[in-house]
Amino acid sequence: CAELVWDLKAQAKECAPRSVSRWTLQFRTALPKLLAGLAAYYTISSSGESFSRLSKAGSSRKQLSTTCAVDTNLVLQRPHLIQILTLLRLFGYDGQGHSLDRQLVQIRTGEGKSLVLGIGSLLFALLGFRVRCVCYSEFLSRRDHKLFVDMFEAFQVGEFVTYSNISKFKADKVNEKGDIRQLTVDLLKGNLTAAPRDLPARTKGRGLVEDILLVDEVDMFFGLDY
């Protein structure tokens, strides 16, 4: 796994667009291979002992004949077709322009939104972006993050991926320019000498970075509560 992680990080660094306005053909060409590598790592890490047993059995021709009788789809956890197609679309694989367009994707219940958001967050982080993945439910957000936190740490991008509910995201955006309560007090007292300015996002070791927002249950995001 360590070798796979190193190889995928090197590939991502080589083709990383670093900006949604510079979505290059080089990256689009490399995208299927990157997703295949991340999917392979997900299968290895999430299937655990099942994967190890199949790998050991496959090294023996005699045991292999027995293993082949087992439906690996029932043993190994791996992304399915809808999830891979969604990720390809999310990352603009079929796009023609030089920028990444905003996407609205419908995935039916049970078709694996958690995996799409987890691997999508991981890949965006590997490409040099800062990722915010939000959901209306704090419980669901924590659950989904827990499913992929080990992968984020394995690829050393944990600090660049944040899961939260929509309310927490909203509060963080409001306070980006400073403590809104203190700014209000300063304004009322006449101590606010200048309007807070939009500051470019800086992340340790990456310089200026762009933010990517992934929204789960987007219909709730556009509801009356928000």
Side-chain angles (χ1 to χ4, degrees), residues 22-23 26 32 36 53 58 67 78 100 111 113 118 134 159 163 169 172 177 195 213-214 226:
R22 297 194 299 271
W23 221 244
Q26 179 188 12
R53 285 196 297 271
T67 304
R78 52 189 179 188
L100 178 64
E111 290 187 341
K113 293 190 294 293
V134 303
E159 65 180 297
Y163 278 63
F169 167 68
D172 290 345
K177 300 176 185 179
L213 175 63
L214 301 177
Y226 301 102

Side-chain angles (χ1 to χ4, degrees), residues 11-224:
Q11 290 181 49
K13 184 177 180 179
E14 182 179 352
C15 68
R18 298 283 180 183
S19 172
V20 294
S21 62
R22 297 194 299 271
W23 221 244
T24 63
L25 178 61
Q26 179 188 12
F27 168 69
R28 287 190 172 101
T29 302
L31 178 59
K33 189 174 180 180
L34 285 170
L35 287 178
L38 293 176
Y41 185 91
Y42 171 78
T43 296
I44 294 170
S45 61
S46 62
S47 299
E49 290 300 320
S50 298
F51 179 84
S52 299
R53 285 196 297 271
L54 286 174
S55 297
K56 292 177 181 178
S59 63
S60 167
R61 181 173 298 181
K62 181 178 179 180
Q63 291 175 311
L64 182 60
S65 61
T66 303
T67 304
C68 289
V70 179
D71 186 354
T72 56
N73 290 316
L74 301 178
V75 178
L76 302 180
Q77 299 182 46
R78 52 189 179 188
H80 56 67
L81 180 60
I82 294 298
Q83 291 167 325
I84 295 299
L85 288 175
T86 301
L87 285 165
L88 287 170
R89 189 69 187 88
L90 186 65
F91 282 87
Y93 180 67
D94 58 344
Q96 301 298 321
H98 298 291
S99 61
L100 178 64
D101 296 328
R102 294 178 175 86
Q103 305 287 341
L104 180 62
V105 181
Q106 180 179 8
I107 304 176
R108 294 184 298 183
T109 301
E111 290 187 341
K113 293 190 294 293
S114 298
L115 185 142
V116 171
L117 292 170
I119 291 184
S121 296
L122 174 56
L123 182 51
F124 272 123
L126 286 174
L127 295 174
F129 296 96
R130 187 173 59 181
V131 186
R132 188 67 176 255
C133 186
V134 303
C135 177
Y136 75 94
S137 167
E138 180 67 20
F139 170 78
L140 294 177
S141 182
R142 289 179 180 274
R143 182 204 65 182
D144 289 351
H145 181 259
K146 186 176 180 181
L147 291 174
F148 287 91
V149 65
D150 289 341
M151 283 188 68
F152 298 151
E153 295 303 327
F155 283 86
Q156 299 178 313
V157 297
E159 65 180 297
F160 308 118
V161 179
T162 303
Y163 278 63
S164 74
N165 61 16
I166 296 173
S167 297
K168 180 64 166 60
F169 167 68
K170 180 173 62 176
D172 290 345
K173 293 299 290 184
V174 168
N175 291 314
E176 265 188 355
K177 300 176 185 179
D179 186 331
I180 190 65
R181 292 178 177 83
Q182 186 58 50
L183 290 172
T184 302
V185 171
D186 291 342
L187 176 63
L188 294 174
K189 290 183 176 181
N191 297 330
L192 191 64
T193 57
R197 295 177 297 173
D198 289 321
L199 299 177
R202 290 184 178 273
T203 304
K204 184 179 178 181
R206 294 193 173 193
L208 300 182
V209 295
E210 293 182 2
D211 291 327
I212 296 292
L213 175 63
L214 301 177
V215 183
D216 189 10
E217 306 287 359
V218 70
D219 54 328
M220 297 293 294
F221 186 71
F222 292 113
L224 296 177

